[in-house]
Amino acid sequence: MSRRHFLRLASSLAALGYTIQEVGRLADAFASELPGSNDPSASTCRDQSYLPSLRVPPVTRNGAHVPIVAEMRHPMEPDHYIKSLQILNESDPIPSKGIFYFSPANGRAYLSVQARMHSGASAVRVIAECTRHGRWTTSQPITIPEGGGGCATAAEGGDNVLMDDAIRPPVIRIPELVERGKIRQGEIIHVQVKLKHPSRTGLALQGSAFVQTADPFYLKEMKVLYGDRLVSRYEMTPAISDSPFMTFTLRVMEESTVRIVVTNSRGQQFETSHKIVLA
Amino acid sequence: MKRLRKMRTILGASLCLLLVVASGQNPAFAHKAKHTPEQLKAFEQAFLEQVKVGDLLFHGDGDTQKRLDVTLSNTGMACAMCHPFASDTHPYTFPKFQEQVSKFATLRDMINWCIEKAAEGEKIEDDSEAMKALETYIYWSTRGSKLEPGTH
């Protein structure tokens, strides 16, 4: 390499290094000028990054069990938080898949659940409601092939058809505990509720129309208590899947008991609790 | 006389073999010995380690799938979404003729059927760590289940 080439290369590298440093500095300066970038709770919901995010499979064969994850990067402070997330598919015979009500104790607005949807191309929508700034909505397309719809589930033979093992009361699973065996104070954990319970819309598909041929039988409500406080409530509809595996979040602030109370459309209540022990 | 000597030799050899077997000296018969509590503890620990991995996979843990290089679902489904508590898996009834797939199937065949058809994921190797872990979790979850032939 000639002396001239070496000097040219060295000066180019120095200039590149300076540029990278300057760009970094400018980016930092720009970020610090954004409203509330250092204090998430001071941010405005008008920021596009606060739009709810929705994950559904673009195509799935099984309309009886469509996995849905709705979440929002948003402050969960006592005076400013996401109050609720509602999941809908407006082209279904039962559009609402339920409304999950949050409180700041959830730490994050996050819900994972499975629902029944009809075949064809449609859109799943989530509506988030903030305590200060109203409602936001996001939707995602979904296609379920003909014959794969999951909304027609007439009850089989009336009210006393449940087999002995058709219902199993809820159990709380905390994946962080399975993975690492401990929970730290202040941590936001995932609380998963698994239970075995049928969900029947009572609808039958006659030709291209849905007809109510039986009473729906489904999980109607889930209450989440942390200590004595009601932290969340989930109002469900018959459009929830059989034995839904539900996940939401909780900010662990103290050693206390998480209690889940689930009520079905016949008024039967099932309960479970889990003692949170800090590491 | 010769015959008597031969008989004595055979008898002696048999006696020796019997003694060796009874005293447990031959390593070939080591598995007949009782396991020590330490050994049993180690076996249980190895089993529960597999249960833990299976539990994570069964409930759709993304990190564990990544680590084991498997894609159990492409839609976000997890085994637990249809089989809470591993219910309706009936592992003790396998192998059997499975009507659903129209063939004689093992539990591993059915795990792969669920992965491909219900969860819309990618079939896993029969002897992979993920398969062993899922199988272990299913057996562990259904321990003590009542087996009713013909009803599963």
Side-chain angles (χ1 to χ4, degrees), chain A:
Chain A
M1 185 186 284
S2 71
R3 187 167 167 265
R4 185 179 296 169
H5 275 123
F6 175 77
L7 286 172
R8 198 177 289 166
L9 185 67
S11 61
S12 305
L13 283 174
L16 183 68
Y18 176 76
T19 312
I20 289 169
Q21 216 175 2
E22 271 307 287
V23 167
R25 213 157 50 81
L26 281 172
D28 286 348
F30 179 68
S32 65
E33 276 172 21
L34 283 173
S37 56
N38 293 324
D39 174 12
S41 66
S43 309
T44 163
C45 291
R46 303 291 171 204
D47 186 341
Q48 287 295 300
S49 66
Y50 282 151
L51 276 177
S53 112
L54 182 64
R55 290 203 300 276
V56 289
V59 180
T60 183
R61 288 188 290 253
N62 187 3
H65 248 104
V66 178
I68 303 163
V69 180
E71 62 182 318
M72 204 165 171
R73 271 183 60 231
H74 185 283
M76 292 296 272
E77 303 300 330
D79 58 342
H80 184 203
Y81 62 94
I82 293 299
K83 217 162 81 172
S84 65
L85 286 176
Q86 180 176 19
I87 297 161
L88 305 151
N89 185 330
E90 279 139 4
S91 63
D92 280 348
I94 302 168
S96 177
K97 315 301 171 191
I99 309 178
F100 194 97
Y101 293 95
F102 296 90
S103 72
N106 286 106
R108 257 175 83 197
Y110 178 97
L111 172 67
S112 167
V113 71
Q114 302 82 50
R116 295 182 175 278
M117 289 184 204
H118 189 41
S119 58
S122 61
V124 183
R125 181 177 297 280
V126 60
I127 302 170
E129 188 174 0
C130 162
T131 50
R132 273 195 206 166
H133 301 98
R135 292 178 173 177
W136 280 267
T137 178
T138 301
S139 65
Q140 292 291 342
I142 186 166
T143 302
I144 299 167
E146 204 55 47
C151 293
T153 54
E156 299 133 9
D159 271 359
N160 301 315
V161 291
L162 292 178
M163 288 156 57
D164 290 345
D165 65 346
I167 295 179
R168 274 184 72 174
V171 161
I172 294 172
R173 178 181 186 271
I174 298 173
E176 286 81 2
L177 274 179
V178 178
E179 217 168 326
R180 10 174 252 266
K182 58 186 174 189
I183 299 171
R184 289 178 291 271
Q185 191 170 29
E187 187 180 350
I188 296 174
I189 57 165
H190 291 83
V191 178
Q192 299 180 323
V193 181
K194 57 178 179 181
L195 79 170
K196 198 176 173 200
H197 192 288
S199 181
R200 303 277 176 261
T201 58
L203 295 171
L205 193 56
Q206 291 178 1
S208 60
F210 281 99
V211 181
Q212 193 80 45
T213 57
D215 286 339
F217 178 51
Y218 61 102
L219 292 169
K220 206 171 176 181
E221 186 190 55
M222 176 175 76
K223 283 183 181 167
V224 182
L225 295 105
Y226 185 25
D228 297 332
R229 283 167 300 140
L230 181 69
V231 170
S232 307
R233 204 164 58 81
Y234 190 15
E235 277 176 12
M236 289 172 267
T237 71
I240 289 293
S241 300
D242 282 330
S243 309
F245 181 57
M246 297 173 278
T247 308
F248 56 90
T249 53
L250 187 70
R251 191 194 300 272
V252 176
M253 294 313 289
E254 60 198 20
E255 287 206 339
S256 196
T257 302
V258 176
R259 201 151 62 89
I260 306 280
V261 183
V262 184
T263 311
N264 69 16
S265 55
R266 291 180 192 162
Q268 288 174 290
Q269 262 191 6
F270 309 97
E271 208 178 310
T272 185
S273 62
H274 192 288
K275 173 101 177 131
I276 302 280
V277 179
L278 298 175

Side-chain angles (χ1 to χ4, degrees), chain B residues 49-59 61-73 79 107-108 111-112 115 122-139:
Chain B
E49 198 49 48
Q50 287 297 302
V51 171
K52 183 182 146 178
V53 177
D55 183 333
L56 289 165
L57 289 174
F58 202 82
H59 293 88
D61 184 74
D63 291 343
T64 312
Q65 289 186 55
K66 218 171 177 180
R67 184 172 68 77
L68 299 179
D69 196 23
V70 291
T71 307
L72 302 185
S73 171
C79 312
L107 177 61
R108 292 181 182 199
I111 290 174
N112 263 332
I115 290 171
E122 287 149 31
K123 192 176 171 178
I124 56 177
E125 291 295 324
D126 254 10
D127 60 349
S128 62
E129 198 187 328
M131 179 61 92
K132 285 181 208 165
L134 280 169
E135 193 183 55
T136 314
Y137 175 76
I138 292 169
Y139 273 110

Side-chain angles (χ1 to χ4, degrees), chain B residues 5-77:
Chain B
R5 199 177 296 159
K6 202 174 171 186
M7 285 274 283
R8 261 190 217 156
T9 315
I10 292 169
L11 200 68
S14 309
L15 211 67
C16 281
L17 187 67
L18 206 67
L19 275 171
V20 168
V21 171
S23 64
Q25 294 301 304
N26 192 328
F29 298 97
H31 69 282
K32 299 270 184 188
K34 265 194 167 182
H35 292 117
T36 64
E38 290 75 26
Q39 278 177 313
L40 291 173
K41 201 176 158 189
F43 297 160
E44 183 70 3
Q45 223 165 354
F47 178 75
L48 289 176
E49 198 49 48
Q50 287 297 302
V51 171
K52 183 182 146 178
V53 177
D55 183 333
L56 289 165
L57 289 174
F58 202 82
H59 293 88
D61 184 74
D63 291 343
T64 312
Q65 289 186 55
K66 218 171 177 180
R67 184 172 68 77
L68 299 179
D69 196 23
V70 291
T71 307
L72 302 185
S73 171
N74 282 307
T75 59
M77 275 295 280

